[in-house]
């Protein structure tokens, strides 16, 4: 290859240059003229899609951890948890497109600001960034989302169920033991039909990261409040970026047996301030939630072992 310099004219009349190497494509337009796909029956496509999804539903009817909400906190929690191949994780996201607020920066601007030292999480995932003294900037928030999702979902111990809503919790003896699910479009249209029954998924730990604003925001802690398992919600306070990020990480925890709360849902529970378009707390809150979920799994396993010894 040879180095070339091309000159272009910007809309303001200034010239700028793109410097690089000559590129020779592997194909030509004519190479596509006789392109043919292997034959397949329409029923084959149907069977592949249905059988694989139904197999996943059977497999994850009972799992170790269910993460509700696939925003930046939920994704970060899943990333950390599934490093242990023995922990089986289901992620449930009501939107068709997972990622929550981390597809975009503030007010639809695309950059993603992450305050140090949370940039170490980006390094772990392999997301490139521009580094400044106290923070780093990912050039587009979607670069974080797409990078972590492509690597996370390739792991064998995780399944994402998108376009699926969590309508309720399974609670037994004041312990959260799973979730009640439905297609998101069904959940959004209960008022238009007489009966559209849900489904269920059992687990040892639920991690709720449902965010704040929106019709399904903070749905986990709102349900806990309605059945008296947590004190009345304090509600998210006004924006204070420096205090908010510290508080979100600080208050991420197992709030009742079997349920960990992370991300901006914490602000509705504990009255933490809104943080605006910075994402460091989302990453580290999700990471901390994974540690809290793992501790809950270990505690439950130890309790089960102790109970078996006593019965024996």
């Amino acid at each position: 290859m040879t180095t070339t310099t091309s000159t272009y004219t910007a809309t303001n009349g200034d010239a700028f240059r793109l410097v690089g190497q000559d590129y020779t494509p592997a194909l030509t337009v004519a190479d596509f003229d006789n392109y043919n796909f292997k034959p397949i029956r329409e029923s084959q496509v149907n069977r592949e899609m249905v059988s694989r999804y139904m197999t996943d539903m059977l497999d994850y009817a009972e799992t170790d951890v269910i993460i509700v909400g696939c925003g930046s906190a939920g994704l970060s929690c899943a990333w950390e948890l599934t490093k242990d191949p023995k922990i089986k994780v289901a992620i449930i996201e009501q939107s068709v497109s997972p990622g929550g607020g981390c597809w975009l920066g503030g007010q639809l601007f695309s950059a993603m600001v992450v305050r140090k030292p949370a940039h170490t999480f980006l390094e772990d995932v392999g997301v490139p960034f521009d580094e400044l003294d106290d923070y780093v900037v990912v050039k587009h928030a979607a670069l974080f989302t797409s990078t972590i999702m492509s690597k996370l979902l390739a792991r064998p111990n995780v399944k994402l169920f998108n376009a699926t809503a969590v309508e309720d919790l399974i609670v037994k003896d004041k312990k959260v033991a799973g979730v009640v699910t439905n297609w998101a479009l069904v959940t959004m249209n209960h008022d238009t039909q007489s009966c559209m029954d849900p489904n269920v998924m059992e687990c040892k730990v639920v991690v709720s990261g449902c965010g704040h604003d929106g019709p399904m925001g903070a749905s986990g802690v709102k349900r806990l409040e309605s059945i008296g398992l947590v004190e009345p919600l304090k509600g998210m306070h006004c924006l204070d970026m420096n205090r908010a990020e510290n508080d979100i990480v600080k208050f991420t925890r197992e709030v009742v047996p079997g349920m960990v709360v992370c991300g901006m849902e914490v602000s509705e529970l504990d009255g933490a301030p809104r943080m605006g378009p910075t994402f460091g707390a989302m990453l580290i809150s999700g990471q901390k939630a994974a540690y809290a979920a793992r501790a809950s799994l270990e505690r439950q396993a130890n309790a089960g072992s102790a109970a078996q010894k006593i019965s024996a």
Side-chain angles (χ1 to χ4, degrees), residues 17-89:
R17 296 177 177 178
L18 297 178
V19 179
Q21 295 178 318
D22 285 336
Y23 170 69
T24 303
L27 301 172
T28 67
V29 172
D31 290 324
F32 294 91
D33 291 345
N34 297 311
Y35 194 97
N36 290 303
F37 292 96
K38 296 288 185 181
I40 194 170
R41 294 182 62 195
E42 285 77 4
S43 58
Q44 286 178 270
V45 176
N46 178 290
R47 289 191 178 99
E48 286 293 341
M49 295 177 67
V50 172
S51 64
R52 289 171 183 268
Y53 196 89
M54 292 304 173
T55 298
D56 287 331
M57 291 186 73
L58 290 171
D59 189 28
Y60 283 90
E62 187 174 1
T63 188
D64 294 318
V65 179
I66 293 174
I67 299 173
V68 185
C70 194
S72 48
L75 282 168
S76 300
C77 179
W79 174 265
E80 189 65 40
L81 262 182
T82 55
K83 288 178 178 179
D84 184 346
K86 297 188 298 296
I87 299 177
K88 186 165 72 170
V89 177

Side-chain angles (χ1 to χ4, degrees), residues 134-211:
D134 299 318
Y135 60 91
V136 301
V137 181
V138 180
K139 71 176 183 179
H140 201 296
L143 181 58
F144 167 78
T145 315
S146 57
T147 302
I148 193 171
M149 284 183 61
S150 64
K151 295 180 178 181
L152 170 64
L153 297 181
R155 291 175 175 171
N157 55 330
V158 62
K159 169 64 182 179
L160 167 65
F161 296 91
N162 57 318
T164 304
V166 169
E167 294 189 341
D168 205 349
L169 302 171
I170 301 173
V171 178
K172 300 179 180 180
D173 299 323
K174 297 184 178 180
K175 179 191 180 299
V176 176
V179 297
V180 179
T181 63
N182 217 325
W183 304 123
L185 289 176
V186 171
T187 299
M188 295 165 63
N189 286 279
H190 277 312
D191 292 340
T192 66
Q193 301 292 328
S194 60
C195 180
M196 293 181 283
D197 282 341
N199 209 337
V200 293
M201 297 172 68
E202 289 188 88
C203 66
K204 299 180 181 73
V205 181
V206 171
V207 177
S208 191
C210 299

